[in-house]
Structure formats: C-alpha cells, structure tokens
Amino acid sequence: MKIDIRDLSLRFIFGGLAVAACYVVLQLVPSKSFAGIFAAFPAVMAAAVIMAGHFGNSEQAADIAFGASAGMLGCTICVFTATFCMEHLGKWGLSLGIALVVWFFSSYAAIMLMQGLLEKRKKQRNSREKAF
C-alpha cells in the first residue's frame, strides 16, 4: 500500500477542521444534550468521502460512504451501550471501552448484513431480468 502524504495531510486538515468546528458548537450551545448531536458529526466520513472522490472516483467515494453507514449504525449501538454501562457500572472509562468494542463488532456485523442484502437484491433483479 502506497501512502500519499498529500492525501493524508488533506484528510487530517478536513477532519481536524470539522472536529474543531463541532467542538466550538458544543461550547456555544447552551443545551449540552442538544450539543451532543454535534459530537456525533461524521467529520472523518466527510473527509474520507471528499478525498476518495477527489483522488479517486465517485465509485470509491460511494464505497467509503457505504462503509460509513455501517459504522454509523454501529455508533448508535455504541452510544446505547455506553449509556447503559455508565448507568449500571458507574465507571465511565470501562463503559467507554466496552462501548468501543461493541461499536467495532456491531459495525462489522452491519456491513456484512448490508452487503448480504445488496447481493440478494442484485440476484433477484438479475433473475427477474432473465425471466423477461
């Protein structure tokens, strides 16, 4: 795998600026629960899609976005897990660690499920086309 320093630098800048902007919003919005919405802003996804589209093509950008959707489903499960664990364990560090592990495995499961459903749909479409 060849590492492109320009690509990596631009991803770092775009992602970092998005995270910094979200942090500013978190500090300015009085309702911290509402401000928490911005803590979930997909800064890394936006930077990755921009760079994949810029240095690659739309198909590569779509693949990144597809994977990001699985990661975001996993993120939802991660947040529920973190909240549940913090309420019941009372240890935020341990709760966060458990939630991150749950995020990884639930994201992996989501992408496998999504790919399986897309393949099934593609096969159904192809079989319908052959019937006509």
Side-chain angles (χ1 to χ4, degrees):
M1 179 172 137
K2 182 183 170 194
I3 296 175
D4 182 358
I5 297 299
R6 181 176 170 219
D7 175 55
L8 187 62
S9 300
L10 286 172
R11 286 177 194 253
F12 181 79
I13 290 167
F14 282 129
L17 287 172
V19 170
C22 287
Y23 177 76
V24 169
V25 170
L26 285 167
Q27 299 306 309
L28 296 176
V29 175
S31 169
K32 295 306 174 196
S33 293
F34 180 76
I37 293 170
F38 295 94
F41 180 76
V44 174
M45 186 276 304
V49 169
I50 289 168
M51 300 313 298
H54 179 73
F55 288 109
N57 56 42
S58 291
E59 185 177 331
Q60 291 172 341
D63 286 343
I64 296 290
F66 180 79
S69 64
M72 289 179 189
L73 288 170
C75 187
T76 301
I77 295 169
C78 172
V79 170
F80 285 130
T81 302
T83 302
F84 178 83
C85 289
M86 285 181 210
E87 288 176 355
H88 290 86
L89 298 177
K91 297 181 179 180
W92 68 267
L94 176 61
S95 298
L96 186 58
I98 293 168
L100 290 174
V101 170
V102 168
W103 163 79
F104 178 78
F105 286 107
S106 61
S107 296
Y108 180 76
I111 202 158
M112 298 309 289
L113 178 66
M114 289 166 50
Q115 286 176 337
L117 291 172
L118 286 176
E119 287 297 319
K120 183 179 178 181
R121 188 173 176 195
K122 191 177 193 179
K123 286 178 185 177
Q124 287 174 345
R125 195 175 306 141
N126 287 341
S127 66
R128 278 191 232 136
E129 289 175 1
K130 287 180 183 178
F132 291 110

